[in-house]
Amino acid sequence: LEAEELIRSGLLWIYGLTTTTTTSLSSHSPELSSPGKEKKKKTTITTLVAVTRSTPTVSAITKVYTTNRYRRRGYADRLVAHVTRYLLEEEKKEAVVLFVGHTLDAVRVYRRIGFVGLDRLDGQEVVEKSDPCDGADVEDWLELGFEGGELGHW
């Protein structure tokens, strides 16, 4: 249900790989006078990113996911960087925030793109401290909701 709403609202971005396969066509076909080849394109979705919690000046990147088969190939890096650049340059957002998991792999992706304040994971240092900020602009949040209420939509 949430995915359908994100798609309908144009808030879901995808990174897809397009492959082309060529199939030989028989010359015995009544429609063809000579042998030919047919090309078919197939797009495989590797990574997705949602943009939610938007205000006139800020948007959040959420739900970053790459299928297991396509991990560690840079697809999440490229898509998150592209979406971030779009939000800042085209949508003229003052800030793009992350509302995402804090796994070590995720932290590495966000750091490579330029996000800061990702040194902490459950109170432990997860990567060397090299952020240009002192943590003053970084906040940890816990999402609360009412029993039976929908989380993640505002």
Side-chain angles (χ1 to χ4, degrees):
L1 187 63
E2 183 180 7
E4 290 173 356
E5 181 59 30
L6 290 169
I7 293 167
R8 193 173 18 262
S9 302
L11 301 174
L12 192 66
W13 295 68
I14 62 165
Y15 189 97
L17 295 178
T18 302
T19 55
T20 304
T21 56
T22 304
T23 306
S24 294
L25 301 174
S26 170
S27 62
H28 302 292
S29 172
E31 297 87 23
L32 298 174
S33 58
S34 62
K37 295 187 185 237
E38 179 182 42
K39 291 185 178 182
K40 291 184 180 181
K41 289 188 177 185
K42 177 184 175 189
T43 301
T44 303
I45 297 173
T46 66
T47 306
L48 64 86
V49 170
V51 176
T52 61
R53 304 168 190 273
S54 291
T55 70
T57 58
V58 179
S59 284
I61 288 181
T62 63
K63 301 176 188 358
V64 177
Y65 179 78
T66 301
T67 58
N68 290 336
R69 180 178 179 191
Y70 294 102
R71 290 186 181 168
R72 298 193 178 274
R73 298 184 190 189
Y75 301 136
D77 295 41
R78 284 179 237 164
L79 186 58
V80 172
H82 176 79
V83 172
T84 301
R85 208 170 17 259
Y86 175 84
L87 292 169
L88 293 171
E89 295 173 5
E90 302 298 322
E91 295 287 325
K92 305 298 184 202
K93 299 293 182 179
E94 294 174 18
V96 176
V97 299
L98 297 173
F99 192 79
V100 294
H102 291 267
T103 65
L104 185 55
D105 286 340
V107 167
R108 287 183 180 133
V109 168
Y110 307 132
R111 278 183 149 277
R112 282 192 297 264
I113 294 163
F115 283 93
V116 296
L118 300 165
D119 290 321
R120 291 173 288 135
L121 176 63
D122 295 329
Q124 300 175 8
E125 192 171 301
V126 293
V127 287
E128 66 283 348
K129 285 206 174 261
S130 60
D131 281 346
C133 76
D134 62 5
D137 295 331
V138 179
E139 300 175 10
D140 288 327
W141 287 85
L142 174 64
E143 184 173 19
L144 301 176
F146 295 101
E147 189 173 325
E150 251 187 277
L151 296 180
H153 289 283
W154 59 269

